[in-house]
Amino acid sequence: MNRRDCLKAALTLPLLPLLASPALRVAQAAAGSLSRVYKRVRPGDPGWPGPAQWGRLNEAIDGRLQRVRSPFEDCSGNDAACREAIAQIKNPYYIGDEPALTQTSGWVDAWMSRPSVYAVAAKNASDVVAAVNFAREHHLRLVVKGGGHSYQGTSDAPDSLLVWTRHMNAVSLHDAFVPQGCAGNLAPQPAVTVEAGAMWIDAYDAVTTQAGRYVQGGGCTTVGVAGLIQSGGFGSFSKNYGSASGGLLEAEVVTADGQVRVVNACQHPELFWGLKGGGGGSLGVVTRLTLRTHELPEMFGAVFGAIQADSDKAYRALIARAIAFYHEALFNPHWGEQLVFRRDNTLRLAMVFQGLDQAGAEKVWAPFLAWVRERKEYRFTDEVHVIALPARHFWDAEFFRQHAPQLIVSDSRPGAPRDHILWAGDQGQVGQFIHGYRSAWLPQSLLSDGRQAALVDALFEATRHWGLSLHFNKGLAGAPADALARSRDTAMNPGALDAFALAITGSEGDPAFPGMPGAKPDLADARSEAARIDQSMDTLLKAASGAGSYVSESNYFERDWQTSFWGSNYPRLAAVKRKYDPEGLFFVRHGVGSEAWSEDGFTRLHDAG
């Protein structure tokens, strides 16, 4: 801090009680005053809490206040924490258990993972209330982390107080759940209640492996339940069940005034709606969620393989046939996941299905595979395999250890829960340093006969710059009416409902946490890749001008992010923010109401619109 900042802070400090006066704030607002432009405090600033104040907070939460220290803070010697971090840096369960780390280590020219000063290792809603009140009273930057999977760096911030919900991970099942205050209005239904720190593997193990039912969650097992729900949320089978947020029946949330509120369709319905896709960390701290569960299909399955064309002309024809085949045979609730279009003229199949057996799935794919085999310009670089398994075993760690150990990676630490696995294909993302990332919802109109050619041309031209994938489960066009209705009653961008797929392009490098030995990303190469990623997506968007983007899988540098992430829902979300957090205690860059703040969330620039 320079002398001018110190002087400004010193002069401002005695006035803080006056600035907090509601009457004065009203008068200032009426007069168009700019006095609400203020800074949150950092360590060393006047107003930063002293040891006695931190001690009182620690006492109030039964000793669960932690000073946060990165395991890479002291790697110059023989530091045990540093050695363990290096050994476990590709283990997402280890990263999740470290309050100082996040599942993404940074993004070139955007952000780096840097820890908070203190963390409240919350075990209940009362701990969260204490943290929220302390941050509000002392003008602290507040951060919330459960799974820590944010690509955008929203679950960490230096000089902040962290609400860390990792230890709030209980899961309980209900045969006949009725939201609070809804008796007589809503029928009882099977459900699962999950605390905010639980991961999807915790929910899947309880709901599917143990109880034989289905809950719509995310595809990556280590993603936090609360974060996914608040961003909208898609899993492999969302084309049948809708968005994860559409399955939310009730939530417990601590709002900026320190109140614990139970919200649902009957109590605080606007806040409830906002939590369903309005973005994590903007409206409050969610401490508990209850989600509907569904009957489990008999079988789940997958189709894997790769086909390479021997020329650009043949590749364009392959893309055309694949898109037409999707429209004809796969554009329905049975099918989800991806077709991946690579720069080397390769089409990779990575699809999943539900409600079909292996023979039924093979029959669906037979015409497309026959078309490929009849043409000498194509070769299978990875032979196509169709597999099916009882749906109850889809997240069953012991089943995979016995039958397909190559598909999973276990938490290798001594004493780790046996069900804590991740898909082997997801391990490359662990600790990633992002070079670039873009997404866009593609409207189903592009599949019509009159527009397919333009889509195919755009896909082919996009791959000349960088590869991309179409995630069909993240576009809800083609879903059943009930799934669409549930998903429509959320704060997500309505464009997701009309999209047949979410197009994603991106790249990443190895973990590059600050202080990590050997972590030296090639920034020039990263920037070059980022430019090609932009060129790829910009080319694709020529066929889908104005397409929105999924907030959890989007460009850090997104222009017009309010419209891109939430579309016509943003004004309603902003109204929810003004009602429940009028002073902007909860800040997430490119989150609801963040336009009123500086990029780092420390300086208020103006009142939220």
Side-chain angles (χ1 to χ4, degrees):
M1 177 184 290
N2 61 37
R3 183 180 179 276
R4 181 174 296 176
D5 288 335
C6 288
L7 180 61
K8 186 186 300 181
L11 292 173
T12 302
L13 186 62
L15 299 178
L16 287 178
L18 294 175
L19 294 177
S21 163
L24 182 58
R25 285 201 302 268
V26 171
Q28 290 168 338
S33 171
L34 296 178
S35 64
R36 291 184 70 185
V37 179
Y38 68 90
K39 288 189 176 183
R40 305 191 205 270
V41 298
R42 301 177 187 266
D45 286 352
W48 180 260
Q53 293 163 310
W54 287 111
R56 285 194 289 273
L57 173 61
N58 190 40
E59 183 178 354
I61 58 176
D62 296 329
R64 288 188 281 275
L65 182 68
Q66 301 180 10
R67 182 80 190 215
V68 184
R69 176 183 181 270
S70 169
F72 299 117
E73 187 176 300
D74 183 14
C75 286
S76 57
N78 193 27
D79 184 77
C82 180
R83 292 200 311 273
E84 182 185 21
I86 293 170
Q88 296 287 343
I89 202 59
K90 297 301 288 183
N91 180 350
Y93 293 100
Y94 163 80
I95 290 178
D97 287 340
E98 282 289 328
L101 299 181
T102 50
Q103 300 290 347
T104 293
S105 57
W107 186 315
V108 65
D109 297 327
W111 67 276
M112 293 296 295
S113 181
R114 299 186 186 279
S116 300
V117 182
Y118 287 99
V120 171
K123 296 194 76 173
N124 51 56
S126 296
D127 291 345
V128 176
V129 168
V132 167
N133 287 339
F134 191 83
R136 185 186 65 251
E137 293 162 3
H138 293 282
H139 305 285
L140 304 182
R141 172 86 157 84
L142 191 65
V143 179
V144 184
K145 183 172 74 167
H149 270 266
S150 171
Y151 291 176
Q152 307 287 335
T154 60
S155 53
D156 77 305
D159 301 333
S160 67
L161 173 63
L162 172 67
V163 177
W164 188 36
T165 62
R166 182 73 165 188
H167 303 293
M168 300 173 64
N169 52 25
V171 179
S172 56
L173 303 178
H174 311 276
D175 293 327
F177 179 82
V178 178
Q180 189 178 109
C182 293
N185 296 321
L186 296 177
Q189 56 189 303
V192 58
T193 292
V194 182
E195 288 187 331
M199 297 169 285
W200 281 108
I201 191 61
D202 302 319
Y204 294 145
D205 182 66
V207 174
T208 301
T209 308
Q210 304 302 324
R213 288 187 64 80
Y214 180 78
V215 59
Q216 183 54 64
C220 181
T221 58
T222 60
V223 165
V225 172
L228 186 91
I229 295 296
Q230 291 176 84
S231 66
F234 300 93
S236 297
F237 306 108
S238 280
K239 194 72 100 174
N240 187 56
Y241 299 102
S243 68
S245 58
L248 185 66
L249 299 175
E250 183 172 278
E252 180 184 82
V253 57
V254 178
T255 47
D257 56 3
Q259 297 298 306
V260 180
R261 304 179 191 272
V262 175
V263 303
N264 52 50
C266 307
Q267 298 182 165
H268 303 284
E270 282 298 285
L271 179 55
F272 176 61
W273 173 82
L275 293 176
K276 296 188 294 182
S282 291
L283 302 177
V285 183
V286 170
T287 53
R288 189 182 72 230
L289 310 100
T290 300
L291 304 163
R292 73 176 65 238
T293 64
H294 306 264
E295 290 187 10
L296 187 67
E298 182 180 353
M299 305 295 287
F300 286 155
V303 179
F304 297 108
I307 305 159
Q308 187 171 40
D310 67 6
S311 67
D312 289 355
K313 180 180 179 181
Y315 189 42
R316 190 203 174 284
L318 179 62
I319 294 173
R321 184 67 212 124
I323 294 298
F325 172 66
Y326 175 78
H327 187 215
E328 297 160 2
L330 307 180
F331 186 32
N332 59 62
H334 290 297
W335 294 93
E337 287 298 340
Q338 313 167 40
L339 292 180
V340 183
F341 302 91
R342 295 185 168 176
R343 286 189 297 165
D344 64 353
N345 291 350
T346 294
L347 169 64
R348 178 162 288 280
L349 316 178
M351 299 290 291
V352 298
F353 58 87
Q354 61 81 30
L356 299 171
D357 59 16
Q358 182 168 336
E362 289 172 341
K363 183 178 180 180
V364 169
W365 279 85
F368 175 77
L369 297 178
W371 182 91
V372 173
R373 291 190 174 101
E374 289 167 0
R375 288 160 174 78
K376 64 180 184 303
E377 57 265 42
Y378 305 113
R379 66 187 183 94
F380 289 93
T381 54
D382 185 0
E383 192 59 46
V384 174
H385 296 282
V386 179
I387 60 173
L389 73 161
R392 191 161 184 168
H393 292 314
F394 198 78
W395 293 282
D396 184 343
E398 297 304 332
F399 178 88
F400 277 93
R401 287 189 181 100
Q402 181 178 353
H403 297 284
Q406 74 280 8
L407 297 181
I408 63 169
V409 178
S410 299
D411 183 351
S412 59
R413 295 173 298 169
R418 293 282 292 174
D419 63 300
H420 278 189
I421 59 171
L422 72 150
W423 304 119
D426 287 337
Q427 194 173 30
Q429 303 175 35
V430 180
Q432 65 185 347
F433 179 75
I434 295 176
H435 299 168
Y437 206 97
R438 299 277 298 274
S439 71
W441 272 303
L442 302 182
Q444 61 179 322
S445 60
L446 290 173
L447 296 177
S448 65
D449 290 343
R451 299 191 67 189
Q452 262 191 45
L455 172 61
V456 169
D457 286 343
L459 285 168
F460 174 76
E461 292 299 331
T463 63
R464 302 307 85 185
H465 302 288
W466 200 256
L468 54 84
S469 52
L470 298 184
H471 295 245
F472 301 109
N473 52 300
K474 296 178 182 179
L476 297 180
D482 62 334
L484 285 170
R486 290 192 298 269
S487 301
R488 186 173 291 111
D489 187 26
T490 71
M492 283 194 316
N493 190 324
L497 301 168
D498 184 57
F500 76 91
L502 180 73
I504 293 178
T505 181
S507 72
E508 70 286 325
D510 292 335
F513 291 96
M516 179 179 171
K520 295 181 179 179
D522 185 332
L523 297 182
D525 184 63
R527 290 170 183 137
S528 175
E529 289 188 1
R532 283 178 278 169
I533 288 165
D534 283 339
Q535 290 171 332
S536 178
M537 182 56 74
D538 289 345
T539 299
L540 179 61
L541 288 176
K542 292 177 181 178
S545 177
S549 182
Y550 178 34
V551 60
S552 285
E553 296 179 305
S554 59
N555 184 11
Y556 183 89
F557 307 100
E558 190 77 28
R559 300 187 186 93
D560 191 20
W561 51 268
Q562 298 94 330
T563 301
S564 182
F565 297 160
W566 292 289
S568 59
N569 282 333
Y570 191 76
R572 185 178 172 188
L573 271 172
V576 176
K577 175 74 169 178
R578 289 193 297 271
K579 179 176 181 179
Y580 288 96
D581 185 17
E583 300 300 320
L585 175 65
F586 299 114
F587 170 86
V588 169
R589 182 186 177 275
H590 286 186
V592 179
S594 66
E595 57 268 69
W597 292 84
S598 59
E599 285 276 302
D600 63 2
F602 274 86
T603 303
R604 186 159 192 158
L605 307 175
H606 55 77
D607 288 345

